[in-house]
Amino acid sequence: MLLSNLFALDLTLISSLPLSGFNKGVGQRIKNGANLYFDDYNAKNVNKINFVVYDDASNQDKFKHNILTHISGASAVFMPVDTVDIRQIVPEILSNKLVVFSPVSGANFLDFKVFECVINTRATFEFEMESLVDYFYTKNLKKISLVYQSGEHGEEAYNSLAQALDKRGLKIYSSISYKKNSNVTEPILENIVQEDSDVVIFALLNDTAVDIVSKLEDFNVGSKFVFLGDADLTNLKKPWRIFISTFTPSFNNSKNLANLYKKLAMKKKLKPNELSYAAFLNAFLISKVFEETKFNAHSKKNFINKAKKVIDKYKFFNTNYIIKFDENTSGKIVYQRTKP
C-alpha cells in the first residue's frame, strides 16, 4: 500500500490510544478532542474524515497490532501517545506505507529530517527542558529532579534536562525511572519524599503523575510539580503547586477555533477535563493538510511538503507555555518561549 493510493474523497484516520487501564484518561481526552473537530468538519464538508480509534491500554505490542491490523485502507495514524509506540511501526514508516501525525511526544528523533513520514508538530524535549530550567532557575529553584520512563523516550527527557542544567553549572538533583505499563508508584513516592527537591518534572506519566501528586498531598513535601502536557487536576487538593508545560496555545491565540471548541464542547456536554485542546487543533491541522492535497496526495514528498506548509502557516505548537495553577485549578501563563 503506497501513499499515492491512500487518499480518496472519504479518508480513514486511525489511532491506537489507551482507552482503558491506568492511562485511560489521556487516550479518552485525545479521542474526544479529535472527534469534536472531525464530527463538525464532516457535517460541513463533502469530503469526510473518518476517525477510528482502537484501545491499546498503553501496551506497546497491542498498539503495534492495532495499527498494522488496520493499516489497509487507512490514510494516516493520529497522535500516538508514546514515541516508543512509533518505534514499533518504524519498518512501515520507512517503507512509505504509513504517515503518522504526532504532536504528543517530544523525542528528538521525530524530526522531519529523520523520519519524513512522521509529521511532528511539537518541539523536542531539548527545547522544552531548556524552557523549564530557564524559568525555574530565575526563580532560584535549582534542585530540579526528574521522573521518567525507562528506555529511549525517557533517556531523551533525562539527557535534555541534564544538558539544560549543565549550561548553568547544575546537575539533575534526583531522578527515578519507571516502566511503561507499570502502575507501581511507591518507589516514586518514596524518592520524592526523601529528596525534597525544589521542582519535580514528570516526563509523560500523564494521569499516573496526577495520582502520585494527589498521594503526596498527605506528606510534608514542599516540591513544585511539573507535568508535560495536559492533565486533569480537578481532584487535587493543592493545585497551586502544579505547573504544566504545554505547546497548546492559549484560547486567545486562536480565537475563532477556541470559540468553536467551546461551542462544540458545550453542545456535546463535555467538560474541559474530558477533552484535549491539542487533539482538537491537530485535527484541524490534518484537515487543512488534506485540503491542501485536494484529498489526493500523489507522492510522499508532495504530502510532506504540504504538511510543512500548513504547520508553518498556523504555528500552533511553536511556543512552549508554562502554566501555573491556583487553589481553584485556574491556570495562568507565567512563561512562554518560541522556537527561533
Side-chain angles (χ1 to χ4, degrees), residues 305-332:
N305 287 340
K306 295 292 186 181
K308 289 180 180 179
K309 180 179 177 181
V310 169
I311 291 168
D312 288 344
K313 176 181 179 180
Y314 291 99
K315 300 184 185 300
F316 281 155
F317 302 100
N318 268 21
T319 302
N320 183 207
Y321 301 89
I322 299 176
I323 300 174
K324 186 180 185 303
F325 289 83
D326 60 22
E327 63 274 8
N328 298 314
T329 65
S330 177
K332 177 184 178 183

Side-chain angles (χ1 to χ4, degrees), residues 9-15 35 38-39 41-42 47-53 75-76 290 295:
L9 292 181
D10 285 355
L11 305 176
T12 297
L13 196 66
I14 63 174
S15 187
N35 270 327
F38 287 133
D39 287 351
Y41 183 88
N42 290 339
N47 295 343
K48 310 299 182 186
I49 302 174
N50 303 312
F51 183 48
V52 183
V53 184
S75 308
F290 288 150
F295 280 70

Side-chain angles (χ1 to χ4, degrees), residues 41-266:
Y41 183 88
N42 290 339
K44 296 175 180 176
N45 293 276
V46 175
N47 295 343
K48 310 299 182 186
I49 302 174
N50 303 312
F51 183 48
V52 183
V53 184
Y54 303 95
D55 180 22
D56 57 39
S58 294
N59 183 286
Q60 294 168 19
D61 292 334
K62 196 168 183 181
F63 169 88
K64 182 177 181 179
H65 175 267
N66 287 346
I67 296 302
L68 300 188
T69 300
H70 300 97
I71 188 176
S72 178
S75 308
V77 175
F78 182 82
M79 283 182 77
V81 171
D82 199 328
T83 51
V84 179
D85 292 334
I86 297 177
R87 282 290 196 195
Q88 293 281 307
I89 54 175
V90 160
E92 284 67 29
I93 295 175
L94 297 182
S95 62
N96 299 336
K97 292 182 180 179
L98 197 61
V99 178
V100 181
F101 289 90
S102 182
V104 171
S105 65
N108 299 335
F109 74 79
L110 293 181
D111 186 89
F112 276 129
K113 298 174 185 176
V114 183
F115 285 138
E116 286 198 334
C117 280
V118 177
I119 300 171
N120 189 27
T121 57
R122 187 186 187 279
T124 62
F125 279 136
E126 186 175 316
F127 182 84
E128 186 169 19
M129 292 300 183
E130 173 61 30
S131 298
L132 286 168
V133 172
D134 184 54
Y135 172 74
F136 288 113
Y137 185 82
T138 59
K139 301 293 183 183
N140 203 35
L141 300 173
K142 300 177 182 179
K143 296 191 295 184
I144 301 177
S145 298
L146 182 70
V147 180
Y148 65 100
Q149 182 176 300
S150 58
E152 180 184 43
H153 187 100
E155 289 170 4
E156 286 204 15
Y158 181 96
N159 292 335
S160 297
L161 177 59
Q163 178 178 305
L165 290 168
D166 183 65
K167 288 169 60 176
R168 295 161 176 83
L170 302 174
K171 295 185 182 297
I172 295 178
Y173 184 70
S174 174
S175 65
I176 185 169
S177 64
Y178 65 95
K179 291 183 178 179
K180 187 176 180 179
N181 298 325
S182 171
N183 58 358
V184 179
T185 59
E186 285 76 11
I188 299 174
L189 286 164
E190 291 174 8
N191 176 270
I192 294 173
V193 171
Q194 290 174 3
E195 296 297 337
D196 193 28
S197 308
D198 292 334
V199 179
V200 178
I201 300 172
F202 292 93
L204 301 183
L205 265 175
N206 298 309
D207 286 355
T208 305
V210 179
D211 180 59
I212 291 170
V213 171
S214 69
K215 292 176 180 176
L216 285 168
E217 290 181 330
D218 295 329
F219 295 87
N220 185 24
V221 177
S223 306
K224 301 182 186 303
F225 303 106
V226 181
F227 302 142
L228 307 189
D230 66 343
D232 180 7
L233 308 182
T234 53
N235 294 324
L236 290 181
K237 299 175 185 176
K238 302 176 182 178
W240 59 86
R241 298 193 300 180
I242 303 300
F243 294 78
I244 285 182
S245 170
T246 180
F247 288 87
T248 304
S250 65
F251 289 149
N252 292 335
N253 290 357
S254 50
K255 190 173 182 180
N256 292 336
L257 278 173
N259 289 337
L260 177 63
Y261 175 80
K262 294 173 183 177
K263 176 183 175 182
L264 294 175
M266 188 176 298

Side-chain angles (χ1 to χ4, degrees), residues 251-312:
F251 289 149
N252 292 335
N253 290 357
S254 50
K255 190 173 182 180
N256 292 336
L257 278 173
N259 289 337
L260 177 63
Y261 175 80
K262 294 173 183 177
K263 176 183 175 182
L264 294 175
M266 188 176 298
K267 183 178 179 180
K268 290 200 173 187
K269 298 180 179 180
L270 288 168
K271 300 175 183 177
N273 63 330
E274 297 174 318
L275 289 163
S276 166
Y277 187 43
F280 179 86
L281 292 176
N282 202 53
F284 169 84
L285 286 178
I286 288 173
S287 73
K288 293 306 176 186
V289 173
F290 288 150
E291 288 174 1
E292 281 286 330
T293 62
K294 302 188 186 328
F295 280 70
N296 185 18
H298 298 294
S299 69
K300 180 191 78 171
K301 184 176 181 180
N302 172 261
F303 186 82
I304 295 297
N305 287 340
K306 295 292 186 181
K308 289 180 180 179
K309 180 179 177 181
V310 169
I311 291 168
D312 288 344

